[in-house]
Amino acid sequence: MCTYLTEKLPVEGSGKGAAGWFGLTEATVYVDHPQHIDFLNPGEGPAARVALELTADSARALAAAIESALSSAPPGLA
C-alpha cells in the first residue's frame, strides 16, 4: 500500500550526478514508493537529483550514524 507520506526540507550541500557536482537545495524523504530519499536542486532541472532507496533499517542506521559522527566532531568542525 502506498501512503505517500512525505517530508521535505531545505538543505545545503553538494551531490554528484552524471554531469558532475551540483549544489543541493532540497531533500525529500518518502516513507514508501516511489523513492525513499531524494536530494535535489529543482532550479537546475531533473538531472540535478541524487536518489537513494534504503530499507527502513538502513535509513535508521544512516540517521544514527550521521548523528553520531556530528556529535563526535571537534567543536567548530561540524
Side-chain angles (χ1 to χ4, degrees), residues 54-63:
L54 304 172
T55 65
D57 288 342
S58 291
R60 286 185 178 103
L62 176 60

Side-chain angles (χ1 to χ4, degrees):
M1 178 174 109
C2 294
T3 63
Y4 292 98
L5 295 171
T6 305
E7 294 288 334
K8 287 189 173 198
L9 65 148
V11 298
E12 294 181 27
S14 298
K16 189 173 184 182
W21 288 94
F22 58 92
L24 298 173
T25 60
E26 185 177 301
T28 305
V29 179
Y30 303 91
V31 172
D32 54 9
H33 192 74
Q35 291 88 13
H36 297 296
I37 303 171
D38 283 335
F39 298 97
L40 56 147
N41 184 336
E44 292 192 26
R49 174 178 173 256
V50 177
L52 304 175
E53 292 194 9
L54 304 172
T55 65
D57 288 342
S58 291
R60 286 185 178 103
L62 176 60
I66 290 169
E67 284 293 334
S68 178
L70 290 173
S71 295
S72 299
L77 182 62

